[in-house]
Amino acid sequence: MRTSNHLIGLLNFLTFLLSIPILGGGIWLSSRANNTDCLKFLQWPLIIIGVSIMVVSLAGFAGACYRNTFLMRLYLVVMFLVIAVLIGFIIFAYVVTDKGSGRRVMNRAYLEYYLEDYSGWLEERVASESYWGKIASCIRDSKVCGRMGRTVNGMPQTPDMFYLTHLTPIQSGCCKPPTDCGYVYQNETVWIPGSGLMGTNADCTRWSNDQEQLCYACDSCKAGVLASLKKSWRKVSVINIVVMIILVIVYIIAYAAYRNNRKMDNDEPYGEARMTKAQPSAFHL
């Protein structure tokens, strides 16, 4: 009995430690939301799952230490639900970020982003007029475009140097006009119309050199936010998959140890079936 309780206690301590990366992933998404993505509702499922695993693990640890059958049963039931929710969240994250990616442009190191390349629940959520105003305001307040400026030996970078810069999806979509509009580079956030015909992209008329406007109303900005979300969620999902696999293994071992505890509470020798006890051999004296 003592060995089984020690095993369950150890496993619950491990699951408590496993909740830390999940909780950390949610906090990391929260910091990303404050700085770039500006979608603060997305980190809450991870934070809730991480806190749930932490609390349930403590309950299981207490149940093992004090041989509290109710806590152990509660631990097994709730942990099963947590694992199911975690699996559902992983599937959901991959489904909503499945479509869309940046397009390569000739003689440019950065990618261009187009809203028509994305679809689904997340695209509808981000592109909705009621929600996009909050996101655009958040991006504007984060000053992500203002931090794009670079100097070389005290001099502003040249257009050719800028074209070789690896921009983030937010910077590429929100802080400059689309390349096919034909604007001419003046600095990182100031562009003037070229001498040729302007492209047919609707974002060409939405671009403004007003530093409070830029391309925050552009579809390319919405696409840049979606691309940034996809990148962030995929990183967190990798951690979640590893944690989920370990949680399933730990849960199976904990359940086996719990079954062994119940057998020992019923005075059953380890490994002896109930049928043997219920119907003892006639040769036993």
Side-chain angles (χ1 to χ4, degrees):
M1 170 67 75
R2 183 174 299 175
T3 301
S4 296
N5 283 335
H6 287 171
L7 177 60
I8 296 175
L10 176 61
L11 292 176
N12 279 284
F13 179 72
L14 291 177
T15 55
F16 176 83
L17 295 179
L18 288 174
S19 67
I20 297 176
I22 297 179
L23 189 59
I27 295 173
W28 179 74
L29 280 179
S30 177
S31 66
R32 292 275 301 176
N34 291 331
N35 295 326
T36 54
D37 295 341
C38 295
L39 291 176
K40 298 182 179 182
F41 72 93
L42 295 174
Q43 77 273 14
W44 285 113
L46 276 180
I47 292 177
I48 293 173
I49 292 173
V51 172
S52 298
I53 294 176
M54 192 173 290
V55 172
V56 172
S57 298
L58 291 176
F61 186 80
C65 291
Y66 296 101
R67 293 186 58 191
N68 189 309
T69 303
F70 172 76
L71 286 178
M72 284 304 305
R73 288 177 178 171
L74 179 65
Y75 162 76
L76 291 172
V77 172
V78 176
M79 183 59 74
F80 176 82
L81 296 177
V82 169
I83 292 174
V85 171
L86 182 58
I87 293 173
F89 180 79
I90 292 172
I91 295 174
F92 172 78
Y94 271 93
V95 169
V96 300
T97 60
D98 180 55
K99 297 181 179 180
S101 60
R103 300 183 189 178
R104 294 195 176 276
V105 181
M106 187 178 297
N107 300 323
R108 301 290 190 271
Y110 49 78
L111 302 177
E112 297 274 329
Y113 298 89
Y114 295 84
L115 189 59
E116 58 263 29
D117 293 340
Y118 298 84
S119 63
W121 174 85
L122 192 59
E123 183 271 334
E124 294 174 359
R125 175 86 173 183
V126 170
S128 64
E129 292 297 329
S130 59
Y131 204 76
W132 178 250
K134 300 176 183 179
I135 300 174
S137 177
C138 178
I139 296 174
R140 185 185 301 111
D141 294 341
S142 70
K143 307 297 183 183
V144 63
C145 295
R147 295 194 296 267
M148 288 175 58
R150 294 181 177 86
T151 58
V152 180
N153 296 326
M155 299 294 292
Q157 63 180 342
T158 63
D160 289 337
M161 294 171 63
F162 175 79
Y163 298 149
L164 296 177
T165 302
H166 293 277
L167 303 178
T168 67
I170 299 290
Q171 292 173 334
S172 178
C174 305
C175 305
K176 66 170 190 60
T179 300
D180 57 12
C181 292
Y183 281 88
V184 178
Y185 174 92
Q186 300 297 299
N187 65 38
E188 290 81 1
T189 55
V190 175
W191 300 69
I192 60 175
S195 57
L197 295 175
M198 186 173 291
T200 58
N201 191 332
D203 287 344
C204 297
T205 58
R206 294 170 180 153
W207 167 259
S208 172
N209 284 323
D210 183 347
Q211 299 301 296
E212 293 298 314
Q213 300 297 325
L214 297 179
C215 218
Y216 297 135
C218 298
D219 287 344
S220 63
C221 189
K222 299 173 183 177
V225 170
L226 289 168
S228 183
L229 283 172
K230 179 177 181 178
K231 185 177 180 180
S232 299
W233 274 30
R234 289 297 173 90
K235 288 181 178 179
V236 173
S237 292
V238 171
I239 298 175
N240 288 344
I241 290 173
V242 174
V243 172
M244 183 267 296
I245 293 173
I246 298 175
L247 280 179
V248 170
I249 295 173
V250 169
Y251 182 86
I252 293 173
I253 298 174
Y255 180 75
Y258 170 74
R259 287 285 301 265
N260 182 48
N261 270 1
R262 290 192 61 188
K263 289 181 179 181
M264 297 181 72
D265 285 339
N266 293 331
D267 297 326
E268 294 183 25
Y270 181 77
E272 184 176 350
R274 290 181 179 270
M275 291 293 293
T276 304
K277 286 193 65 187
Q279 297 179 356
S281 171
F283 293 101
H284 290 176
L285 297 178

